[in-house]
Amino acid sequence: MVSYTVCTSLVVAMMWTLFDLRISLFSFTLGQLISGVTHFWADRRLPLQRLAERVDRLHGLRGESVGAFYRLGAPRAGKDDNLVLGTGRYALDQAWHWWWIFIASVVTAVAA
């Protein structure tokens, strides 16, 4: 999380300076905090899996569900393989990150 947040902070700071953006130190920090914490949370893997399974339970989903999508492409039971390059876990992880990067950018702009 630290290296991720340092990189995104440098890019945002560079854009802030180059384009003379009207953001404040508070909004910059708040946006980076949102981005970093949500990134850390999702990359623990188990929390995102539990979230997918909870969505299924809350909405009574079975079969083709968020939890089933999360497990899509995972290694087969008893085998150390992966049948596809992309997995449901990967897709949900990336969607989570993109969504929170968007939220963090909106917060950075609006909280200024």
Side-chain angles (χ1 to χ4, degrees), residues 1-111:
M1 177 186 99
V2 173
S3 61
Y4 165 81
T5 305
V6 167
C7 289
T8 59
S9 294
L10 289 173
V11 169
V12 173
M14 185 175 61
M15 295 295 112
W16 184 4
T17 304
L18 286 174
F19 296 108
D20 192 28
L21 300 176
R22 298 186 186 274
I23 61 176
S24 65
L25 184 58
F26 171 77
S27 66
F28 171 82
T29 304
L30 186 58
Q32 289 304 305
L33 182 66
I34 290 169
S35 181
V37 167
T38 58
H39 191 92
F40 176 80
W41 184 87
D43 282 354
R44 304 292 66 86
R45 301 283 187 246
L46 193 55
L48 198 55
Q49 178 183 0
R50 287 185 179 161
L51 178 61
E53 292 166 354
R54 184 165 185 177
V55 167
D56 290 351
R57 284 193 305 277
L58 287 174
H59 296 285
L61 299 174
R62 291 191 174 85
E64 293 186 19
S65 64
V66 179
F69 182 75
Y70 182 88
R71 293 183 295 278
L72 182 68
R76 295 176 291 178
K79 303 203 181 238
D80 186 24
D81 65 357
N82 195 351
L83 301 176
V84 295
L85 293 176
T87 63
R89 174 188 293 185
Y90 172 80
L92 287 175
D93 177 79
Q94 291 305 297
W96 175 270
H97 291 314
W98 279 99
W99 172 251
W100 283 104
I101 288 169
F102 170 73
I103 296 297
S105 67
V106 169
V107 167
T108 300
V110 172

